[in-house]
Amino acid sequence: MSDQPDGTAANASAPLSYKDAGVDIDAGDALVERIKPMARRTLREGVLTGIGGFGALFEVPKRYREPVLVSGTDGVGTKLRMAFALGRHDTVGIDLVAMSVNDILVQGAEPLFFLDYFACGRLDVDTAARVVGGIAAGCEQAGCALIGGETAEMPDMYPDGEYDLAGFAVGAVEKSLIITGRSIVPGDLVIGLASSGIHSNGYSLVRKIIERAHGAIDAPALQADFGGRSFADAVMAPTRIYVKPVLSLVAAVPVKGIAHITGGGLVENVPRVLPDDCQAILHRDAWTMPPLFGWLQRNGQVADAEMHRVFNCGIGMVIVVAPNDAPKAIAHLEASGETATVIGRIAARAAGDAPTIVI
């Protein structure tokens, strides 16, 4: 008989398993089996091996003469805290794909394949499968293959019910067709493509505004109308993936520069594609800011300048073209399902001028 009433001494000599330490190998295997059919839906030319091996093999399509690989990596940020609070796990995977593929798109790259990293304290197979289902849906939208990833179950690293995500995209572009922005000159026009909402940037400020306004993310007061959607639907709308319409545009119209409006908003992302002697002048009344941004600005008393450097304010991608090419570019984008508008112009930049201003 143990000399410890609770049997501690006896238990101390019992065999331990990985599951006793908090890692469920069977759950991980079950998730892999759930993921496989999702990944199969994303298969495309170039995939040699996919989910399940130590490394996934991909052959650059032979239609490329001088392929240059373009890579990008990103996460979803504190939008995940909104997902946890609202129980919305189906679309953050789309956000994950979008943030990387939209980044490599600006250089004219076609996304080829994507890998994800899902980390949690305790693996909930159903939740993880919902997240990966979103990743697969994002890959389908972008035309890239989900060929690998990692699921890390790390006890004590994350609270139950929470997880973190990272994603990695690799694309290719013909060396002679890389979009650099070097040909941009004063007089060129700036076309804005409508965003689907906040996308995946600025959520620390979003949550702070909600706390000030209503105290809780799921407060009944937040069930107001936001352009025909509830607050939860509006704030969790997945990041728009612009890959297919923009690649189609690049093949049809001379595009001089592209900027993904991500962290840093309008004023910090547009300059990333401008020559040093150029300035972008954007006209705030040229596009309609979605209702959610107005709600955030009012309830947070956020200054215009802060809005423009934190949020996309309704413009998720910017494209610079010559004036003569603008009508054809807009018509092409609208035929592809995008809302496209001339939102500004390129001007000469003098010493001391800001690279981008919104007036």
Side-chain angles (χ1 to χ4, degrees):
M1 179 180 293
S2 167
D3 57 358
Q4 298 290 330
D6 61 0
T8 301
N11 290 339
S13 61
L16 287 174
S17 68
Y18 211 3
K19 190 171 184 178
D20 293 326
V23 179
D24 190 339
I25 296 175
D26 292 334
D29 292 342
L31 177 61
V32 170
E33 292 305 310
R34 292 271 289 272
I35 289 172
K36 284 180 178 179
M38 301 176 191
R40 279 196 291 270
R41 293 199 305 270
T42 72
L43 290 179
R44 52 157 293 158
E45 61 170 334
V47 176
L48 301 181
T49 64
I51 299 291
F54 288 101
L57 301 178
F58 191 97
E59 181 181 38
V60 177
K62 292 181 173 57
R63 53 188 165 82
Y64 284 97
R65 299 184 304 277
E66 290 185 288
V68 173
L69 297 181
V70 185
S71 60
T73 182
D74 211 334
V76 180
T78 58
K79 188 174 186 176
L80 288 180
R81 299 222 61 83
M82 303 288 291
F84 304 151
L86 296 170
R88 301 287 185 105
H89 305 288
D90 299 289
T91 57
V92 290
I94 298 176
D95 289 301
L96 183 68
V97 175
M99 297 306 287
S100 288
V101 298
N102 284 343
D103 272 356
I104 67 174
L105 174 64
V106 304
Q107 290 166 300
E110 171 196 9
L112 298 176
F113 60 86
F114 189 85
L115 300 97
D116 70 283
Y117 176 79
F118 179 98
C120 60
R122 183 182 63 83
L123 181 60
D124 182 311
V125 175
D126 288 337
T127 297
R130 290 168 65 187
V131 173
V132 177
I135 294 172
C139 286
E140 289 183 86
Q141 290 181 34
C144 63
L146 176 60
I147 60 173
E150 169 69 6
T151 301
E153 187 175 21
M154 299 182 288
D156 306 322
M157 287 289 288
Y158 301 90
D160 278 355
E162 297 189 5
Y163 52 83
D164 199 9
L165 295 173
F168 314 87
V170 175
V173 60
E174 287 288 358
K175 189 173 183 178
S176 62
L177 299 178
I178 297 172
I179 297 172
T180 64
R182 286 196 293 266
S183 64
I184 293 173
V185 296
D188 287 339
L189 296 182
V190 180
I191 297 173
L193 304 189
S195 68
S196 55
I198 306 173
H199 288 182
S200 296
N201 299 108
Y203 276 84
S204 294
L205 179 55
V206 171
R207 292 186 297 111
K208 194 70 174 178
I209 293 170
I210 294 169
E211 290 171 8
R212 174 186 287 187
H214 294 292
I217 290 172
D218 56 354
L222 295 180
Q223 304 308 307
D225 179 70
F226 291 88
R229 297 185 292 180
S230 69
F231 177 84
D233 287 341
V235 80
M236 290 304 295
T239 305
R240 191 166 183 82
I241 293 175
Y242 298 96
V243 171
K244 292 179 181 179
V246 171
L247 287 180
S248 175
L249 175 70
V250 168
V253 176
V255 170
K256 294 188 171 190
I258 307 175
H260 179 203
I261 310 306
T262 180
L266 287 163
V267 296
E268 293 190 4
N269 284 291
V270 176
R272 296 169 70 178
V273 298
L274 299 180
D276 291 339
D277 60 352
C278 287
Q279 174 190 50
I281 300 174
L282 308 182
H283 297 278
R284 178 60 198 84
D285 60 356
W287 77 94
T288 301
M289 190 166 69
L292 180 57
F293 291 105
W295 185 94
L296 291 168
Q297 185 167 22
R298 290 191 304 274
N299 282 274
Q301 298 178 302
V302 184
D304 285 346
E306 187 73 357
M307 290 291 294
H308 297 150
R309 74 170 189 166
V310 174
F311 300 117
N312 66 59
C313 293
I315 299 296
M317 189 76 76
V318 157
I319 295 172
V320 181
V321 296
N324 290 342
D325 293 320
K328 183 178 179 181
I330 290 174
H332 192 97
L333 289 163
E334 289 180 342
S336 299
E338 298 299 321
T339 299
T341 310
V342 173
I343 64 170
R345 61 184 174 83
I346 303 300
R349 181 186 179 195
D353 285 348
T356 296
I357 61 172
V358 183
I359 59 175

